[in-house]
Amino acid sequence: MKRNRVGRWSAVCLFAALLCGCGQVQPKEAETISLYDRGLAIIAKMDSIAESKEYAKLMTTSPEVLQVVEEIGSGEYSTPKAVYQVTMTEEIDGFLGDVYGDSIDGLSEELKEDFKSRILESISSMFSASGGASALAAVSLISGDDYFIDPNLSEDQLYLYVYEGGCSASVAFSVHKDGIVSAVGRFIVSDDISEALMQDKVSQWIEESGLRGLEVSEVHP
């Protein structure tokens, strides 16, 4: 009988503690982090990969690729000289139609949006292609990603982080259902982008690469 009484009191105390706990716990407000800062965090992660010779050797044995990785790792990426936002305009549909013809029309709207996101993500690789196969292989090994919730972000966009020297970076932000945003970062190995520190030059640089329907705006400084 005494044992039953203790059990009942334990249950009562536990229930009371749970009620008190429920009253004290308050939901935390979602932390607001700018896309600019999220991009820098991803680039810092990629930089740590490039700085690790042991990590690089686990991914490739090519001396040429390892040399490019070492070059990337020697850079300083905390303070970009300029940051540009690249977004898609309505003209992107016409551009894709000119390039791919009727094949783009056979895609569902969901797949069209996915395809456009991939076009935006591929910009960094297109620029690194000027550095040759080793540069492309190196940047594909050193990538970073992140997922977060941002219900206010309504369109895909690419952030270009321009640094002095031959290595810069890009982070592509893609919008998904329920406010989910995926971010993919890649380095850019190209001497051309480091010289394009002005918005007009970046726009011209993108157009000369054969892409249309993209708009460039300055984020920083």
Side-chain angles (χ1 to χ4, degrees), residues 35 85 87-89 120 152-157 173-175:
L35 296 184
Q85 178 193 63
T87 54
M88 292 179 287
T89 68
L120 206 59
N152 297 318
L153 192 63
S154 58
E155 61 177 349
D156 296 350
Q157 46 199 273
F173 298 96
S174 301
V175 179

Side-chain angles (χ1 to χ4, degrees), residues 36-49:
Y36 172 85
D37 288 330
R38 288 188 185 277
L40 281 181
I42 292 175
I43 294 170
K45 183 194 303 183
M46 296 191 301
D47 184 30
S48 67
I49 295 174

Side-chain angles (χ1 to χ4, degrees), residues 52-165:
S52 174
K53 294 181 180 180
E54 294 77 10
Y55 190 94
K57 288 179 180 179
L58 288 173
M59 296 186 294
T60 181
T61 57
S62 168
E64 293 81 9
V65 176
L66 288 173
Q67 184 178 353
V68 177
V69 172
E70 184 177 354
E71 178 186 347
I72 294 173
S74 65
E76 201 284 318
Y77 303 102
S78 61
T79 309
K81 292 298 180 181
V83 180
Y84 298 99
Q85 178 193 63
V86 182
T87 54
M88 292 179 287
T89 68
E90 294 180 356
E91 295 178 6
I92 191 70
D93 291 325
F95 165 72
L96 295 177
D98 292 340
V99 174
Y100 298 100
D102 296 336
S103 58
I104 193 73
D105 295 329
L107 298 177
S108 65
E109 288 302 318
E110 184 178 356
L111 289 178
K112 280 184 182 179
E113 294 304 315
D114 181 77
F115 188 69
K116 291 178 186 178
S117 297
R118 293 178 186 274
I119 292 289
L120 206 59
E121 288 179 19
S122 69
I123 289 177
S124 61
S125 296
M126 292 176 62
F127 296 143
S128 293
S130 62
S134 296
L136 276 175
V139 297
S140 67
L141 295 177
I142 310 168
S143 61
D145 55 54
D146 190 16
Y147 293 88
F148 56 94
I149 302 293
D150 188 346
N152 297 318
L153 192 63
S154 58
E155 61 177 349
D156 296 350
Q157 46 199 273
L158 182 79
Y159 271 41
L160 289 175
Y161 294 77
V162 182
Y163 301 86
E164 289 184 347

Side-chain angles (χ1 to χ4, degrees), residues 3-18:
R3 190 174 299 173
N4 290 338
R5 200 174 296 154
V6 171
R8 284 197 298 271
W9 275 109
S10 297
V12 170
C13 291
L14 178 59
F15 183 66
L18 290 173

